[in-house]
């Protein structure tokens, strides 16, 4: 049930504390719906993701990090499509009407929104368990979008940044480890510049939210291909550097929440990787190759097959 008076106060506060009018916003927060102008000749791209307390972020996550992350994970989806973000809609379910909590939340949100010039144009505010649902809207030139279905035999499999770090940080928090640098988990960096650079070159792209193997699996299923991954080519995050290699591979292959881009690239474009990496200051690692067939083979340095112990994250796994 909504609490009418407090709800309106919160909405006014959100309106005050989030970034200005924004490009193409004919009508923003305050009416029954927003009106947006999609630039002529471009297609609208829409993505939505929900963050539930205790499931998508640890319950002690700061409101500012939650505000940042709810936008970051959605911008990451637009990045994977090769799109440019423009607008966002925010659906908030809050256990209490706390202006200080909200101030911190809008701080984190606005910080990322300003960087990518995203305008908050509407949403919904209700009373209930802490849950944040955000819809990001962006644009792409027709034909420049990247899909999951374009990977072909012989393409390189490439991942940006490092992977597995966020999953390790989450586990350290869960076992009560005192001084963990939570940055990788709480403040993922949506790779929008990279997504735009890749569009027109990458044959398929996805962002790594559920784990490398799970997300690569989505590309391969959609593309009807197989892949070979070489474990010694997986980029190593600092938080994994103290682990035995097999343990490290488990995090790298199966840990989620990294929000890096995983893409396939026709081998003829290989030389572009260095150029993108330099221009965008992003590490890009070729970790394997697309093959004919089905499934993913992970190959350890000695040539033997490595099977990770944890599959990617599945929200409905225990609720069959
Ligand atoms: P309605 O009842 O017609 O849906 P609301 O009272 O829920 O209208 O919302 C009033 C205005 O405030 C609308 O423009 C809505 O988009 C905006 N709004 C409500 N909640 C949020 C929020 N969490 N973030 C951004 N805008 C919001
Ligand atoms: Mg409403």
């Amino acid at each position: 049930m909504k609490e009418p008076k407090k709800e309106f106060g919160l909405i006014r506060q959100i309106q005050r504390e989030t970034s200005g009018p924004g490009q193409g916003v004919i009508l923003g927060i305050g009416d029954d719906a927003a009106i947006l102008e999609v630039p002529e000749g471009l297609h609208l791209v829409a993505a939505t993701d929900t963050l539930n307390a205790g499931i998508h972020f640890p319950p002690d996550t700061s409101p500012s990090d939650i505000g940042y992350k709810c936008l970051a994970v959605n911008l990451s989806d637009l990045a994977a499509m090769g799109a440019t973000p423009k607008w966002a809609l925010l659906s908030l379910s809050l256990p209490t009407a706390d202006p200080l909590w909200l101030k911190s939340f809008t701080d984190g949100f606005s910080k990322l929104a300003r960087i990518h010039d995203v305008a908050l144009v509407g949403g919904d505010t209700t009373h209930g368990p802490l849950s944040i649902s955000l819809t990001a809207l962006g644009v792409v030139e027709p034909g420049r979008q990247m899909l999951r279905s374009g990977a072909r035999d012989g393409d390189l499999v490439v991942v940006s940044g490092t992977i597995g770090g966020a999953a390790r940080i989450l586990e350290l928090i869960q076992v009560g480890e005192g001084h963990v640098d939570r940055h990788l988990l709480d403040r993922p960096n949506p790779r929008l510049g990279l997504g735009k650079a890749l569009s027109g070159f990458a044959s398929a792209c996805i962002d790594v939210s559920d784990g490398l193997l799970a997300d690569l699996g989505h590309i391969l299923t959609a593309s009807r291909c197989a892949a070979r991954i070489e474990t010694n080519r997986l980029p190593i995050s600092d938080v994994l550097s103290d682990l035995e290699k097999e343990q490290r591979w488990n995090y790298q292959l199966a840990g989620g929440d990294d929000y890096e881009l995983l893409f396939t690239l026709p081998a003829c474009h290989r030389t572009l990787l260095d150029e993108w990496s330099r221009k965008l200051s992003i590490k890009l690692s070729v970790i394997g190759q697309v093959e004919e067939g089905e499934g993913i083979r992970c190959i350890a340095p000695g040539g033997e097959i490595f099977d990770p112990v944890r599959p990617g994250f599945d929200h409905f796994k225990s609720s069959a």
Side-chain angles (χ1 to χ4, degrees):
M1 255 237 305
K2 289 188 180 181
E3 295 179 18
K5 273 204 180 126
K6 285 184 186 161
E7 178 197 334
F8 295 140
L10 294 175
I11 295 171
R12 271 199 302 276
Q13 186 184 343
I14 291 170
Q15 190 171 15
R16 243 188 355 258
E17 289 172 354
T18 54
S19 50
Q23 277 181 20
V25 181
I26 293 169
L27 192 61
I29 294 174
D31 220 294
D32 286 312
I35 302 179
L36 308 168
E37 185 174 28
V38 179
E40 208 174 321
L42 298 185
H43 282 172
L44 186 65
V45 184
T48 195
D49 251 325
T50 299
L51 302 186
N52 291 325
I55 296 173
H56 301 94
F57 55 88
D60 67 344
T61 305
S62 79
S64 148
D65 288 333
I66 298 169
Y68 176 100
K69 192 167 178 177
C70 72
L71 181 58
V73 301
N74 278 285
L75 296 190
S76 176
D77 281 325
L78 294 190
M81 301 298 292
T84 304
K86 291 183 85 69
W87 310 296
L89 295 151
L90 172 67
S91 184
L92 273 180
S93 163
L94 300 173
T96 52
D98 177 356
L100 287 178
W101 188 97
L102 194 61
K103 172 77 178 78
S104 171
F105 177 92
T106 56
D107 273 355
F109 177 92
S110 300
K111 182 158 189 235
L112 187 62
R114 269 194 301 271
I115 292 173
H116 297 291
D117 203 9
V118 175
L120 184 64
V121 297
D124 196 26
T125 307
T126 57
H127 181 221
L130 181 59
S131 173
I132 301 98
S133 198
L134 190 123
T135 299
L137 301 170
V139 293
V140 74
E141 249 177 72
R144 298 283 291 191
Q145 67 275 12
M146 292 187 287
L147 307 181
R148 297 178 178 185
S149 51
R152 295 293 173 262
D153 180 25
D155 288 354
L156 308 173
V157 179
V158 188
V159 70
S160 66
T162 61
I163 42 165
R168 165 99 162 131
I169 291 167
L170 181 61
E171 282 188 8
L172 291 174
I173 294 169
Q174 283 166 344
V175 299
E177 190 81 24
H179 305 287
V180 190
D181 177 357
R182 297 175 53 139
H183 198 87
L184 274 180
L185 177 69
D186 291 335
R187 300 253 167 174
N189 190 354
R191 302 300 195 183
L192 287 152
L194 178 61
K196 273 207 267 184
L198 296 178
S199 83
F201 297 100
S203 49
C205 187
I206 194 168
D207 67 323
V208 183
S209 53
D210 295 334
L212 183 84
L213 292 185
D215 290 317
L216 178 58
H218 294 315
I219 288 185
L220 298 174
T221 304
S223 303
R224 298 166 186 271
C225 294
R228 178 168 51 90
I229 297 297
E230 289 173 44
T231 56
N232 67 337
R233 291 184 174 216
L234 297 168
I236 304 172
S237 148
D238 287 345
V239 285
L240 300 182
S241 58
D242 61 326
L243 299 176
E244 294 290 324
K245 58 182 189 305
E246 283 83 3
Q247 215 185 348
R248 193 181 75 226
W249 295 339
N250 284 326
Y251 284 103
Q252 291 167 310
L253 293 167
D257 270 333
D258 296 297
Y259 300 99
E260 293 294 346
L261 292 187
L262 173 67
F263 57 95
T264 57
L265 186 73
C268 59
H269 296 318
R270 187 181 196 122
T271 51
L272 289 171
L273 289 170
D274 275 347
E275 192 183 314
W276 290 328
S277 184
R278 229 177 320 110
K279 271 198 190 144
L280 301 164
S281 304
I282 297 178
K283 187 184 175 79
L284 294 174
S285 309
V286 176
I287 59 169
Q289 208 157 14
V290 178
E291 299 178 330
E292 281 181 354
E294 246 181 64
I296 305 170
R297 286 185 301 142
C298 300
I299 305 190
E304 70 276 19
I305 300 282
F306 176 77
D307 278 323
V309 291
R310 290 188 327 160
F313 189 71
D314 178 353
H315 284 280
F316 293 101
K317 209 162 177 243
S318 56
S319 64

